[in-house]
Amino acid sequence: MAAQRKVGGLGKGLDALFGDVEIDRAKAAEKKEKAEETPAEGGVLYIDINNIKPNASQPRKSFDEEKLRELADSIEQHGLIQPVVLRKAVKGYEIVAGERRYRAARLIGLKEIPCIVKTLSDEENMLLAIIENMQREDLNPIEEAEGLKQMIDKYGLTQEQVSISVGKSRPYISNSLRLLKLPDVVRTLTAEGKISMGHARALVTVKDEERQIRLAERAAEEGLSVREMEKLAAASDKPKSAPKKQVKSPDEKRVEEDLKKILGTKVNLSRKGKKGKIEIEFYSAEELDRLIDILKTLG
């Protein structure tokens, strides 16, 4: 099926995938017995879990083991209420939406799981996988940004089309994509949840990469708030004002010149109000001894 460029409707959610389908658990056994090898599209079928493979375009790379175990326990107790959405692959089926449910089902040893089979292009498959995860807030900020970038780079969508597809504003899309410009260390801390998307967004404004890393590590270690991070980031990019050059009076310059002639070396006179200091330069141990002898004679 040729890739389609009209993607506006995808942002309306996953209702179009599932429709009004419900699983009647009382009839589950009967449905399994009657399921055909190649089911009609849209019906709920029980499919051998070994004939299902993960989605190659799945934007989610990390799965929380503890939460996965909790989901597995829930499925074991109540059953898999929501079907996994699949599409036909060269061999078996590929997951479009529901990889967490698939993984949890494998954990408890289910042989078959309820599924809906859809006919989708590669583009539709990827878009729906991203949309499902974003709507469920299953992606960390970096996975989400990478998924959005893939929509633009691989399928040539504009940021406007991406915005419509995933139901997010243009500024949200732009800010998300900017996270991918951060150093690897900062992206890892964000992906692991050690700093939030708000922290990461504040760091994007910092021009120096080493400072970005230092601030990110500090935020992770000290638990800085996003507001604190924003203040630190703003302070780091303020241009440092050059120290004011002291303007010496004619009398001060004359004193410096007189002392230079007497001591035979450079002399610097600096004053702050009524206080100040005289600096006498020397360039060797012998010259220091000479200057000390001269100063002693002044006594």
Side-chain angles (χ1 to χ4, degrees):
M1 183 176 177
Q4 300 176 10
R5 288 281 173 252
K6 187 177 180 182
V7 295
L10 294 176
K12 296 179 181 178
L14 296 175
D15 291 343
L17 278 177
F18 299 114
D20 296 324
V21 175
E22 294 182 359
I23 299 175
D24 186 343
R25 295 189 57 76
K27 298 181 180 179
E30 181 182 350
K31 285 186 176 183
K32 286 195 290 182
E33 290 296 327
K34 294 181 179 180
E36 297 176 353
E37 187 66 27
T38 305
E41 181 171 330
V44 177
L45 283 305
Y46 281 79
I47 294 176
D48 187 332
I49 201 167
N50 293 319
N51 289 336
I52 301 171
K53 65 178 181 179
N55 188 344
S57 298
Q58 163 69 268
R60 189 175 189 185
K61 307 302 179 187
S62 60
F63 293 83
D64 187 298
E65 292 298 327
E66 184 176 347
K67 291 183 178 179
L68 202 60
R69 186 69 252 179
E70 290 174 358
L71 177 58
D73 291 342
S74 175
I75 292 173
E76 191 167 30
Q77 183 176 355
H78 303 291
L80 185 53
I81 304 302
Q82 190 175 45
V84 174
V85 181
L86 310 175
R87 71 167 182 163
K88 283 286 290 181
V90 176
K91 185 177 181 181
Y93 300 89
E94 181 181 53
I95 297 172
V96 175
E99 186 167 338
R100 283 185 72 247
R101 280 164 274 155
Y102 160 81
R103 287 172 176 260
R106 293 194 75 98
L107 276 179
I108 57 175
L110 291 186
K111 304 300 182 184
E112 295 176 311
I113 57 175
C115 303
I116 296 174
V117 180
K118 291 286 182 179
T119 301
L120 300 170
S121 67
D122 288 342
E123 180 178 353
E124 291 168 333
N125 175 40
M126 184 202 68
L127 293 180
L128 290 173
I130 293 171
I131 291 166
E132 189 219 18
N133 281 292
M134 287 185 68
Q135 289 183 347
R136 296 179 186 278
E137 298 183 350
D138 281 343
L139 300 178
N140 66 56
I142 300 304
E143 289 174 335
E144 182 176 288
E146 289 172 342
L148 296 173
K149 188 173 187 298
Q150 188 180 12
M151 293 170 71
I152 294 170
D153 292 349
K154 188 171 182 178
Y155 294 102
L157 303 184
T158 65
Q159 286 194 24
E160 181 65 30
Q161 288 173 314
V162 172
S163 171
I164 295 170
S165 296
V166 300
K168 299 287 186 180
S169 68
R170 277 288 303 277
Y172 182 95
I173 302 300
S174 298
N175 287 328
S176 182
L177 292 172
R178 291 174 72 193
L179 299 183
L180 299 179
K181 297 180 180 180
L182 291 168
D184 290 343
V185 173
V186 180
R187 293 205 303 271
T188 298
L189 289 173
T190 307
E192 292 176 349
K194 294 179 180 177
I195 62 173
S196 70
M197 183 177 183
H199 291 97
R201 284 177 59 181
L203 288 170
V204 170
T205 64
V206 179
K207 296 177 181 178
D208 182 69
E209 185 173 299
E210 290 184 1
R211 185 165 178 79
Q212 285 178 324
I213 295 172
R214 287 199 302 272
L215 287 176
E217 291 176 338
R218 179 179 172 185
E221 291 169 4
E222 299 179 16
L224 299 179
S225 68
V226 172
R227 183 65 176 167
E228 289 171 324
M229 175 64 83
E230 288 172 344
K231 288 181 179 179
L232 289 171
S236 70
D237 274 352
K238 287 182 179 178
K240 295 180 180 179
S241 55
K244 292 182 179 179
K245 189 174 181 180
Q246 185 181 14
V247 179
K248 296 179 180 178
S249 68
D251 287 340
E252 290 171 332
K253 291 180 180 179
R254 186 164 50 252
V255 170
E256 284 183 344
E257 194 61 31
D258 289 344
L259 289 174
K260 179 180 179 182
K261 289 178 181 178
I262 294 170
L263 299 174
T265 188
K266 185 177 178 180
V267 176
N268 180 60
L269 172 65
S270 60
R271 295 181 58 180
K272 288 185 179 180
K274 295 181 179 180
K275 297 181 179 181
K277 61 182 178 180
I278 297 174
E279 295 177 311
I280 303 171
E281 293 189 7
F282 60 91
Y283 305 96
S284 65
E286 292 78 8
E287 189 167 18
L288 174 59
D289 291 337
R290 181 182 68 80
L291 291 170
I292 291 172
D293 289 340
I294 293 173
L295 292 174
K296 284 180 177 179
T297 60
L298 297 177

